[in-house]
Amino acid sequence: MSPFHPGVYAGIERGAKAFSLKASMTTLDLTNPSTRKDAVAELAQNANAGVILLATEMISDDEYALFEDFDLPLVVLDGWSDKLALDCVTIANEPAAYRATTLLAEKGHERIGYVGSRIRIKNFPQRERGFRHVLEDMCLPFDEKNRILVDPSPEQGYLELCTWLDDNPPLPTAFFCDNDLVAAALIRAPNAHGIRVPDDVSVMGFDDEQLCQVIQPTLSTVHVPRHKMGEMAVRRLFEQTTDIRLAPCITMLHTTIAQRQSIKRI
């Protein structure tokens, strides 16, 4: 389970309580093509239920297509379908990354790199687009050698970043990262090579996980209102059952930036 998910679950439970609804959690395995249709069909058998589908790791259109004729009220959370008109609640990823990268530029950083997860869930390309739009709008150069994709697990990502740094590449003065786990690995790896964060390089994360305030230096990051996401998903689900005129929509929640010790003005 991602560290991101418990906060979302707490928001769902709080939202359900506000509407006097009962909330329960089940795991749906969509990785096996031979069994996933049956799993979705089994989920739909409870005629009195509605479903909030936490879709953070759902990438392919084939996975979303499983819910095209789903009979129960359905809200997709932290994901969306480009082909189906599903009710979705997600993060305003691109504007969030734009604001975070703008902050780095406003602190004097003209050479900014990008470190991301090699597993490209749907949120990450949007965050990268927001990052790149800042560079385009401010006419800042970008060296593709400073676009590094690593394993999403903290330890393996750290080892891969260490290997990259072993070649002593010319570093930008700041990095924007896909998420906090990657950013935490990026903080550790330079320290192991005598490169200091933020004195030599600044690091910006995304999600505002608990680890941001534990690691040293503490991590500047994009704060995601995960509780509000869960509550909003419950509200949309409830409205599906009470408003026959309700049109499906994609609801994007804005974020804020938590400035901590990992970035500095130059």
Side-chain angles (χ1 to χ4, degrees):
M1 179 187 298
S2 164
F4 173 83
H5 294 156
V8 175
Y9 294 144
I12 291 173
E13 291 175 346
R14 189 160 63 189
K17 185 177 180 180
F19 287 104
S20 299
L21 302 173
K22 293 181 179 180
S24 62
M25 183 180 68
T26 185
T27 301
L28 192 64
D29 184 6
L30 301 181
T31 60
N32 189 336
S34 65
T35 61
R36 61 188 183 183
K37 287 185 178 180
D38 291 337
V40 173
E42 183 178 350
L43 183 66
Q45 288 179 358
N46 189 344
N48 297 317
V51 173
I52 296 174
L53 179 66
L54 186 54
T56 304
E57 297 178 0
M58 287 178 61
I59 300 173
S60 73
D61 291 327
D62 289 344
E63 291 174 316
Y64 283 97
L66 296 167
F67 296 90
E68 184 171 10
D69 300 315
F70 197 67
D71 292 331
L72 300 180
L74 173 69
V75 174
V76 177
L77 180 58
D78 198 31
W80 66 95
S81 170
D82 295 318
K83 294 185 176 181
L84 302 178
L86 301 174
D87 241 330
C88 304
V89 176
T90 187
I91 308 161
N93 286 288
E94 190 168 337
Y98 189 99
R99 289 196 300 275
T101 308
T102 297
L103 177 63
L104 294 174
E106 289 174 345
K107 288 186 176 294
H109 298 280
E110 297 182 354
R111 294 179 294 111
I112 307 174
Y114 173 88
V115 180
S117 167
R118 192 176 295 115
I119 298 177
R120 306 302 285 163
I121 65 173
K122 296 187 75 169
N123 288 332
F124 293 162
Q126 288 198 339
R127 295 174 189 178
E128 184 174 2
R129 282 199 297 271
F131 159 79
R132 287 181 179 266
H133 283 174
V134 174
L135 305 187
E136 294 167 3
D137 289 350
M138 295 189 175
C139 298
L140 299 177
F142 182 63
D143 187 343
E144 290 293 337
K145 293 180 181 178
N146 289 327
R147 180 184 186 269
I148 304 105
L149 299 183
V150 298
D151 190 275
S153 65
E155 192 60 32
Q156 184 60 34
Y158 162 74
L159 293 174
E160 291 178 11
L161 286 167
C162 284
T163 299
W164 176 67
L165 288 169
D166 285 343
D167 293 332
N168 196 29
L171 292 178
T173 61
F175 281 98
F176 170 80
C177 301
D178 265 345
N179 62 20
D180 293 335
L181 295 179
V182 169
L186 181 59
I187 284 179
R188 290 177 60 205
N191 284 340
H193 287 71
I195 301 167
R196 298 167 299 172
V197 177
D199 293 340
D200 300 318
V201 62
S202 291
V203 177
M204 172 71 73
F206 200 116
D207 284 334
D208 200 12
E209 306 288 3
Q210 289 184 347
L211 65 86
C212 295
Q213 300 186 58
V214 176
I215 61 174
Q216 291 297 321
T218 54
L219 179 62
S220 295
T221 187
V222 175
H223 174 75
V224 174
R226 50 181 66 83
H227 287 86
K228 290 295 184 183
M229 290 178 67
E231 291 177 18
M232 180 67 72
V234 174
R235 178 175 296 276
R236 290 296 298 178
L237 194 67
F238 182 77
E239 290 173 347
Q240 285 184 25
T241 66
T242 57
D243 185 355
I244 61 174
R245 297 173 300 176
L246 188 72
C249 65
I250 297 178
T251 303
M252 293 193 294
L253 276 71
H254 274 300
T255 60
T256 55
I257 296 176
Q259 292 192 55
R260 300 192 179 99
Q261 298 171 347
S262 67
I263 61 174
K264 66 172 289 186
R265 184 178 299 276
I266 61 172

